[in-house]
Amino acid sequence: MSTSETSRFVRLQVEMVLEITDPAALSGTALESIAAEYGEPGGESAEERMHAEAAVREDGAEALASLIDPFDLVSEVPGVELAQASWSSETVDYDPDNPDTWDLDDEDGDEGDEDDAESGGDVPHNG
């Protein structure tokens, strides 16, 4: 199949495990971002703002998700325009000292991953 026959749309999947080293700084930054987004308290979206503030105060994963913007990840890449994005964040059990915690080579249990990369399927990048 030639390049002109393939879709110009690409699904980029990124999975990261981040360590929250300063929960107060994270939630504080998330609260500042919410304040900037919603403006003065008590407006039309006061209930929505209160819900967002409560969520980032209670859960570091929520605070992180509120600060991550997929557009920012690709906005400076030439020749690329973000068509659609969704993202989520969750607290996970992770042991950095256990090599089996996250096995990138056996992510979905398929043994044909090498063939996928050669045929234009998933192309792993660990950069």
Side-chain angles (χ1 to χ4, degrees):
M1 183 181 301
S2 72
T3 304
S4 63
E5 295 173 340
T6 62
S7 174
R8 64 177 195 239
F9 295 96
V10 174
R11 180 182 309 268
L12 174 66
Q13 294 180 296
V14 177
E15 185 168 335
M16 297 185 277
V17 175
L18 305 171
E19 179 181 3
I20 298 175
T21 58
D22 189 342
L26 176 61
S27 63
T29 302
L31 290 169
E32 289 172 8
S33 176
I34 290 168
E37 179 181 344
Y38 288 99
E40 292 297 316
E44 291 179 14
S45 55
E47 186 175 331
E48 188 176 330
R49 177 184 176 149
M50 288 175 29
H51 176 72
E53 288 175 343
V56 302
R57 279 188 185 103
E58 294 173 15
D59 186 358
E62 287 289 334
L64 182 61
S66 75
L67 293 169
I68 299 298
D69 183 350
F71 176 78
D72 290 343
L73 298 174
V74 298
S75 63
E76 295 186 28
V77 177
V80 175
E81 183 177 324
L82 182 64
Q84 182 179 0
S86 80
W87 65 104
S88 65
S89 182
E90 65 181 332
T91 303
V92 296
D93 290 328
Y94 178 76
D95 179 2
D97 296 327
N98 182 350
D100 295 329
T101 300
W102 190 7
D103 186 3
L104 293 176
D105 294 332
D106 192 28
E107 187 172 314
D108 58 6
D110 291 342
E111 294 186 24
D113 287 344
E114 292 171 9
D115 294 335
D116 288 345
E118 293 172 11
S119 65
D122 296 334
V123 181
H125 184 277
N126 298 325

